[in-house]
Amino acid sequence: MWDAKVAVAYLDKHARSASHGKCAAYVRKAIEAGGVRLHRHTSAKDYGESLIAAGFAVEEASILNAGDVVVIQPIAGHRHGHVAMYDGAKWVSDFKQRNGLYPSESYRRLTPAFTIYRHP
């Protein structure tokens, strides 16, 4: 049974102040702490299928909920893309993102495609 509060608490507790390139592992572990098992992937960009298989659905609403997960496609220099979870106030991956959905200036400048997933 999915518990978004447990997943968010796990991620907030373990996230660092700056990225160290482990977004997929941190977010996967948080989702699993929340009660949903995911297939493991090397690249963050590949987690969409696993989220769908685990009961998440693509979310198109503009209002975010704690526990929503974003999968962002790759950009030059970041071939694995990015994944993060919304904690109710900010996006968190392996670090607490200070500037919204995109994790860095290069992502904000290039605005690659992304998909938001929500567990019902």
Side-chain angles (χ1 to χ4, degrees):
M1 166 112 349
W2 170 245
D3 190 330
K5 288 180 183 178
V6 171
V8 164
Y10 180 96
L11 192 57
D12 278 339
K13 178 180 177 183
H14 291 89
R16 297 182 179 188
S17 60
S19 177
H20 58 282
K22 301 286 185 191
C23 64
Y26 275 60
V27 174
R28 178 189 52 78
K29 288 176 183 178
I31 291 169
E32 290 181 349
V36 174
R37 185 122 171 104
L38 294 178
H39 298 292
R40 285 153 175 75
H41 300 279
T42 302
S43 293
K45 67 178 175 67
D46 296 328
Y47 268 91
E49 277 184 31
S50 292
L51 290 164
I52 295 289
F56 284 76
V58 173
E59 181 57 42
E60 310 244 350
S62 59
I63 297 174
L64 296 169
N65 290 342
D68 286 354
V69 177
V70 66
V71 176
I72 304 174
Q73 294 307 300
I75 60 172
H78 299 276
R79 66 185 176 109
H80 295 291
H82 186 68
V83 63
M85 181 183 292
Y86 189 68
D87 73 356
K90 66 192 163 307
W91 289 98
V92 182
S93 55
D94 57 335
F95 72 106
K96 295 177 181 180
Q97 299 177 198
R98 293 179 284 283
N99 295 300
L101 176 97
Y102 291 117
S104 67
E105 177 57 36
S106 55
Y107 274 95
R108 288 188 291 280
R109 186 177 68 255
L110 296 171
T111 63
F114 64 86
T115 306
I116 296 176
Y117 300 88
R118 179 176 293 163
H119 201 282

